[in-house]
Amino acid sequence: MQRRNFIRLTGGGVVAAATLSTVGLTGCAPGMPPEAIEAWRGPAPDLATADVRRWLLSYAILAPHSHNLQSWIVDLSTPNEILLRCDLKRLLPQTDPLSRQIMMSQGTFLELLELAAKERGLRADISLFPEGVFGPEKPDTRPVARIRLMPDAAVQKDPLFAQVLLRHTNRSAYDLSRPVPATAWQAMTDAAKSPTLRFGQVGTEQADLLATHRQIGAEAWRIELSTPRTILESFDVLRVGAKEIAQHRDGLSLLDAKVVWLNRLGLFDRSKAPAPDDFATTSQIKSFGVNLDSTPGFLWMVTENNDRVTQVNAGRAYTRVQLAATAQGLVMQPLSQALQEYPEQKKSYADIHAVTGATRPGQTVQMWARVGYAPDVSPAPRRQLQDFIQA
């Protein structure tokens, strides 16, 4: 059996399994190149006396983003103003065909930007879609937001800012023996600060409902792994080894020594998807199930409609929720698969909406995530600040 598996490894199957377990389920392995995560040390010293907008942006680019694509472009050509656009080369047409998650990721950026502005005594007046709202299918070149910055003595610092450099998505196994306390759920609910958003949660005290959430998550993950075009979309942004990670500083990072070695030998073909019954797929389904079974809590955020403004604001709310969780010593991992609007996920999409009570027309589960306690993981790579600045 071991010999047979190794032969399949050189053909691509088991390589893919190792890839996905590192990218999809665990934190970054030791060996992350320091230049890829230098942004997590905070602004460079010279930014303290430079254009304050660059100081703010050095925090905004640490926002969570689908597949770590970092699809943010800013225009600084107008003094005291930041114009935010979506980088149309950094979308997910297969797994996020309507760009709902991309719009949420614009919101995560805006929330960290405003938190940083408050830290510097600035009021950030944010106007969403100042030249018109995108259509329901995909973004275009019009700006997502115009941010005007003004000194304001009445601005109060937000205590959540202290968590910005500490917030990391954690895809590892959680500690099932430690339930999420009621005080932590309340802190996350309070942090969302959105009257148009319904926050829900389930913990270990509701074993049947917790099991249902795990089942939906497992099935949605199986579908994404078994659909060639969706798994290949992840492969397209997979960075294997320190050299690729340092070169790109985005996407999904893989530092597993065995896979890196095989990649150097040309034995890892990222242009081919593993078959549904391949060990690469079945072992990954099993591994993800183990992580789901270790999860003591899930949270969700539901909105009454799903327009572009709502999507952006949901991203802002999620950022606050995750920062509040970080302050409570908790970690989180978004479970995006069942929320995605491609045909193969139709049943999972319906199931998660039903179990969270989002059944009326227009109601949308914008975020669904694992919550619990787990060891620290490395932060995700970030590109250099200058890479995001257009002018």
Side-chain angles (χ1 to χ4, degrees), residues 52-193:
V52 70
R53 295 176 296 178
R54 294 176 180 266
W55 189 90
L56 306 183
L57 290 170
S58 70
Y59 286 100
I61 64 173
L62 301 180
H65 195 298
S66 301
H67 276 54
N68 193 28
L69 288 184
Q70 306 167 40
S71 62
W72 310 301
I73 299 176
V74 295
D75 183 337
L76 304 182
S77 59
T78 301
N80 303 315
E81 183 177 299
I82 299 172
L83 199 65
L84 172 64
R85 287 189 172 88
C86 180
D87 188 338
L88 302 182
K89 296 178 181 179
R90 293 173 174 270
L91 305 179
L92 295 166
Q94 302 303 326
T95 54
D96 186 29
L98 304 181
S99 293
R100 181 189 62 82
Q101 294 177 76
I102 293 293
M103 287 299 98
M104 287 189 67
S105 298
Q106 304 297 306
T108 64
F109 179 95
L110 290 171
E111 186 60 33
L112 291 195
L113 181 68
E114 183 167 25
L115 289 178
K118 290 179 178 179
E119 197 69 11
R120 295 293 296 266
L122 298 172
R123 185 180 74 247
D125 293 331
I126 300 176
S127 301
L128 295 180
F129 304 104
E131 296 178 13
V133 181
F134 304 147
E137 294 186 357
K138 61 182 180 180
D140 56 42
T141 58
R142 288 175 292 178
V144 175
R146 175 178 288 114
I147 306 100
R148 292 192 171 96
L149 301 167
M150 294 292 294
D152 188 340
V155 167
Q156 296 183 352
K157 295 182 179 181
D158 193 315
L160 290 179
F161 179 77
Q163 306 303 320
V164 172
L165 299 179
L166 304 176
R167 179 215 63 81
H168 308 312
T169 297
N170 192 314
R171 300 175 176 86
S172 65
Y174 294 174
D175 186 349
L176 188 57
S177 69
R178 299 182 65 189
V180 179
T183 52
W185 287 126
Q186 190 60 54
M188 289 183 273
T189 303
D190 294 344
K193 293 179 63 175

Side-chain angles (χ1 to χ4, degrees), residues 13-65:
V14 178
V15 173
T19 296
L20 290 175
S21 67
T22 301
V23 172
L25 304 181
T26 67
C28 301
M32 177 67 70
E35 63 270 32
I37 55 174
E38 62 184 355
W40 292 95
R41 294 197 290 267
D46 61 330
L47 290 184
T49 56
D51 185 338
V52 70
R53 295 176 296 178
R54 294 176 180 266
W55 189 90
L56 306 183
L57 290 170
S58 70
Y59 286 100
I61 64 173
L62 301 180
H65 195 298

Side-chain angles (χ1 to χ4, degrees), residues 71-368:
S71 62
W72 310 301
I73 299 176
V74 295
D75 183 337
L76 304 182
S77 59
T78 301
N80 303 315
E81 183 177 299
I82 299 172
L83 199 65
L84 172 64
R85 287 189 172 88
C86 180
D87 188 338
L88 302 182
K89 296 178 181 179
R90 293 173 174 270
L91 305 179
L92 295 166
Q94 302 303 326
T95 54
D96 186 29
L98 304 181
S99 293
R100 181 189 62 82
Q101 294 177 76
I102 293 293
M103 287 299 98
M104 287 189 67
S105 298
Q106 304 297 306
T108 64
F109 179 95
L110 290 171
E111 186 60 33
L112 291 195
L113 181 68
E114 183 167 25
L115 289 178
K118 290 179 178 179
E119 197 69 11
R120 295 293 296 266
L122 298 172
R123 185 180 74 247
D125 293 331
I126 300 176
S127 301
L128 295 180
F129 304 104
E131 296 178 13
V133 181
F134 304 147
E137 294 186 357
K138 61 182 180 180
D140 56 42
T141 58
R142 288 175 292 178
V144 175
R146 175 178 288 114
I147 306 100
R148 292 192 171 96
L149 301 167
M150 294 292 294
D152 188 340
V155 167
Q156 296 183 352
K157 295 182 179 181
D158 193 315
L160 290 179
F161 179 77
Q163 306 303 320
V164 172
L165 299 179
L166 304 176
R167 179 215 63 81
H168 308 312
T169 297
N170 192 314
R171 300 175 176 86
S172 65
Y174 294 174
D175 186 349
L176 188 57
S177 69
R178 299 182 65 189
V180 179
T183 52
W185 287 126
Q186 190 60 54
M188 289 183 273
T189 303
D190 294 344
K193 293 179 63 175
S194 176
T196 61
L197 181 147
R198 176 167 60 83
F199 183 96
Q201 74 277 337
V202 59
T204 53
E205 71 283 355
Q206 296 174 284
D208 290 345
L209 183 56
L210 193 65
T212 299
H213 277 259
R214 290 169 177 163
Q215 291 166 4
I216 295 171
E219 176 60 10
W221 181 244
R222 183 196 66 78
I223 291 169
E224 183 153 317
L225 286 175
S226 304
T227 305
R229 72 179 191 283
T230 58
I231 193 60
L232 285 175
E233 187 168 73
S234 293
F235 281 6
D236 284 343
V237 294
L238 180 61
R239 317 307 183 195
V240 180
K243 183 177 180 180
E244 286 188 18
I245 294 171
Q247 176 186 352
H248 295 280
R249 300 192 186 192
D250 66 359
L252 307 172
S253 301
L254 172 62
L255 285 162
D256 182 277
K258 181 168 61 177
V259 183
V260 172
W261 176 75
L262 289 164
N263 186 59
R264 289 173 180 169
L265 293 176
L267 299 177
F268 179 19
D269 186 353
R270 281 172 269 179
S271 68
K272 296 179 181 179
D277 60 349
D278 197 316
F279 180 79
T281 304
T282 59
S283 63
Q284 183 59 21
I285 292 170
K286 181 178 179 180
S287 296
F288 189 61
V290 170
N291 277 16
L292 284 174
D293 288 345
S294 78
T295 304
F298 294 85
L299 67 80
W300 56 90
M301 294 163 43
V302 176
T303 57
E304 291 299 316
N305 54 61
N306 192 32
D307 59 73
R308 295 304 194 188
V309 171
T310 297
Q311 292 166 3
V312 171
N313 286 333
R316 296 191 65 174
Y318 170 69
T319 302
R320 297 187 61 82
V321 169
Q322 192 180 19
L323 292 173
T326 303
Q328 296 290 319
L330 290 158
V331 298
M332 293 171 57
Q333 177 194 3
L335 299 176
S336 60
Q337 291 78 23
L339 309 184
Q340 293 167 344
E341 301 96 336
Y342 60 92
E344 290 85 351
Q345 291 286 14
K346 184 176 181 180
K347 184 179 186 303
S348 296
Y349 185 92
D351 287 346
I352 193 60
H353 278 72
V355 79
T356 58
T359 56
R360 292 199 301 270
Q363 287 187 328
T364 304
V365 181
Q366 300 288 352
M367 178 56 68
W368 179 41

